[in-house]
Amino acid sequence: DWEKFIQYLEREGGEIWQTYFFASEHDPPLPGETSFYQFLKEQLRWEVVVYQLGMRTVSCNNCDHTHTTPVEKGVDVGLATRMLTLSINQAYETAILVAGDRDYLETVKFVKGLGLRVEVVSWKSGLSNDLETESSAPVIYLDDLKDEISRNGNGG
């Protein structure tokens, strides 16, 4: 439950003035995707940045069979660019990065080098050790919050 998630973060660290959500969607978008992004934008007032899914062709080494699968494109670069741009403009004191991918490591180091904070929220299994080390505060693990912030959880 995205509302419970933001409420948890605000309870722990104070008001969050702006939330960005980066994702990829199908072309044409699936009905569930469109309604979810509209909910985030219209109800929660998040900035939603959506890229079109790319396609990757995968080949079997044993039988030469190929199939095409959708892959997320542009999300990591878009998020990192937004974090960097806002940090250079001193638009925040603390960024909360909900990701665990090592690809964000240089972005986090740069932002911290400007004297700003980056706190990481991630699943334990998806968290890079390097990113965990660079977090300005102890990492918040989504695994530990699952019951509290899930739709059916006891968080309300």
Side-chain angles (χ1 to χ4, degrees):
D1 185 314
W2 293 101
E3 289 177 282
K4 289 181 184 178
F5 178 58
I6 290 299
Q7 289 168 0
Y8 170 84
L9 292 175
E10 288 185 330
R11 229 180 18 254
E12 296 299 312
E15 184 180 5
I16 295 174
W17 67 270
Q18 185 62 65
T19 303
Y20 293 87
F21 187 88
F22 290 80
S24 293
E25 69 181 352
H26 292 83
D27 183 25
L30 301 176
E33 290 174 334
T34 301
S35 61
F36 176 62
Y37 301 141
Q38 283 179 322
F39 165 76
L40 293 178
K41 189 172 187 155
E42 295 170 8
Q43 300 298 313
L44 300 184
R45 299 294 189 214
W46 290 14
E47 292 292 326
V48 177
V49 181
V50 180
Y51 301 91
Q52 185 177 340
L53 279 170
M55 300 303 283
R56 174 179 292 151
T57 301
V58 180
S59 301
C60 175
N61 292 333
N62 296 326
C63 68
D64 291 332
H65 172 76
T66 62
H67 82 116
T68 304
T69 183
V71 292
E72 202 171 67
K73 287 296 202 184
V75 172
D76 291 349
V77 171
L79 190 157
T81 301
R82 185 67 55 97
M83 267 183 80
L84 291 169
T85 302
L86 292 171
S87 70
I88 289 168
N89 292 320
Q90 298 287 309
Y92 61 83
E93 293 175 8
T94 302
I96 301 172
L97 175 63
V98 183
D101 194 328
R102 189 181 190 287
D103 289 348
Y104 296 111
L105 185 61
E106 291 305 315
T107 300
V108 170
K109 287 180 176 182
F110 181 88
V111 169
K112 288 176 58 182
L114 293 175
L116 305 173
R117 295 173 52 82
V118 180
E119 298 178 7
V120 176
V121 177
S122 178
W123 295 101
K124 290 178 184 176
S125 64
L127 179 61
S128 140
N129 289 337
D130 293 332
L131 192 59
E132 180 177 20
T133 301
E134 283 301 320
S135 183
S136 299
V139 172
I140 296 172
Y141 293 106
L142 291 166
D143 313 60
D144 299 337
L145 301 180
K146 195 165 42 174
D147 290 340
E148 185 174 347
I149 65 173
S150 70
R151 278 200 191 123
N152 301 325
N154 52 11

